[in-house]
Amino acid sequence: GDLDKVVNLLLSLSGRLARVENALNSLGPHTTAEDKVALREKKRQLAAQLEDAKELKEHVGRREKVVGAMVARYLRDEHLQDYQHFVKMKSALITEQRELEEKIKLGQEQLRCLQESL
């Protein structure tokens, strides 16, 4: 459960950071200094939060190894392999799902911007 939450947090923060970076890169010449400063500050905060989330993921990874070692004492090899595969796949599938959701959001934002520009 913690792994799911941390993976979702990492993906959410990285998606938000990418959107802020895109907003910074697409600033026009008429953008106010306040807006530029606000976006830069938001980028700085998100980058710091992303680093914190990476440390949290490392902590969860260390705890996962400890739990895996304890589980290994009680499961036969075939069940242990199933458990390890489940943990790996769950994390990978959550990551893939979140990336697809982010791509959909980005595509929708781009479509909206294109429609507005027309």
Side-chain angles (χ1 to χ4, degrees), residues 97-112:
Q97 177 186 7
R98 195 60 187 245
E99 287 174 353
L100 290 172
E101 289 170 355
E102 289 296 321
K103 286 179 182 179
I104 289 170
K105 283 182 187 178
L106 180 61
Q108 289 172 337
E109 287 176 17
Q110 289 174 340
L111 181 61
R112 183 178 42 81

Side-chain angles (χ1 to χ4, degrees), residues 62-73 80 83-84:
R62 288 190 299 270
R63 198 173 75 203
E64 180 183 337
K65 287 180 183 177
V66 171
V67 170
M70 285 193 281
V71 167
R73 288 186 230 154
L80 179 61
Y83 166 78
Q84 291 168 338

